Amino acid sequence: MKKALLLSIVSLSLAASVSVAAASSDQKTDRVTNVNPSITPIIVQDDDPVIVPFRTSDLFKTDLSGVTDYSLFNVAGGYGHVKVYIKNTGKNTIRAVMIHDSTKKEYFSKDIAPGGTLDWRSFTDTPQGVRGGDYTITYRANGNLLSGSAWGISAENNNEL
């Protein structure tokens, strides 16, 4: 008799806990509100293309100051597509000249007006990309103080810049 009573109590307890769990999970889904109904889920198919991250390399970052400044960098083989960005925050025009050190080939010589920028990309002048190796960009403001910043990156393909 004790076993039957104990078995009944355990069975009722188990049944009660299952119904409470089911009821509580139902309540949780009822309380969830749709906070942004305009979002459309994206369904990925097996035949969707794999997205490969861009392969770029930081070349340099230079804060321009003084009467003359420069950026030294190396373009690794296979990363010949280059972007150079220069911002002139000063009151004087900056002349920037980029040269490949071993061949002395000049890739650009540009003036950047006060408050202006230069966004140079190698594929405009050299669609195949620049040579690998060491480069120097010199910055001058006709004997006046420089103020600005410059940075460069390189990539395997020009669409990665």
Side-chain angles (χ1 to χ4, degrees), residues 3-19:
K3 282 185 181 179
L5 182 59
L6 186 58
L7 188 58
S8 298
I9 291 172
V10 170
S11 297
L12 283 173
S13 297
L14 185 59
S17 67
V18 168
S19 66

Side-chain angles (χ1 to χ4, degrees), residues 2 10 13 22 34-35 48-49 66 73 83 85 98 114 119 124 160:
K2 281 186 176 183
V10 170
S13 297
N34 190 354
V35 293
D48 283 345
F73 60 95
K83 175 180 179 176
Y85 186 84
M98 180 172 134
D119 185 358
T124 303
E160 295 174 339

Side-chain angles (χ1 to χ4, degrees), residues 29-148:
T29 56
D30 288 344
R31 282 188 264 154
V32 174
T33 60
N34 190 354
V35 293
N36 193 348
S38 65
I39 294 177
T40 304
I42 297 172
I43 300 169
V44 178
Q45 304 294 330
D46 288 338
D47 59 346
D48 283 345
V50 175
I51 297 172
V52 178
F54 288 141
R55 294 186 180 160
T56 61
S57 176
D58 289 341
L59 295 175
F60 66 91
K61 290 184 180 157
T62 306
D63 290 325
L64 303 177
S65 62
V67 176
T68 301
D69 211 338
Y70 58 90
S71 300
L72 302 174
F73 60 95
N74 180 279
V75 174
Y79 283 78
H81 298 282
V82 174
K83 175 180 179 176
V84 173
Y85 186 84
I86 304 168
K87 182 173 184 176
N88 183 353
T89 58
K91 298 177 182 177
N92 304 298
T93 298
I94 294 176
R95 160 87 37 161
V97 180
M98 180 172 134
I99 295 176
H100 183 254
D101 292 348
S102 64
T103 63
K104 303 303 181 205
K105 176 177 169 67
E106 183 178 291
Y107 280 89
F108 68 76
S109 179
K110 303 280 186 181
D111 288 334
I112 303 117
T117 61
L118 171 66
D119 185 358
W120 182 82
R121 296 166 195 240
S122 61
F123 60 82
T124 303
D125 301 323
T126 52
Q128 75 282 5
V130 301
R131 296 173 184 244
D134 294 329
Y135 286 82
T136 302
I137 301 177
T138 55
Y139 312 95
R140 293 188 175 91
N142 200 22
N144 298 304
L145 291 177
L146 298 166
S147 180

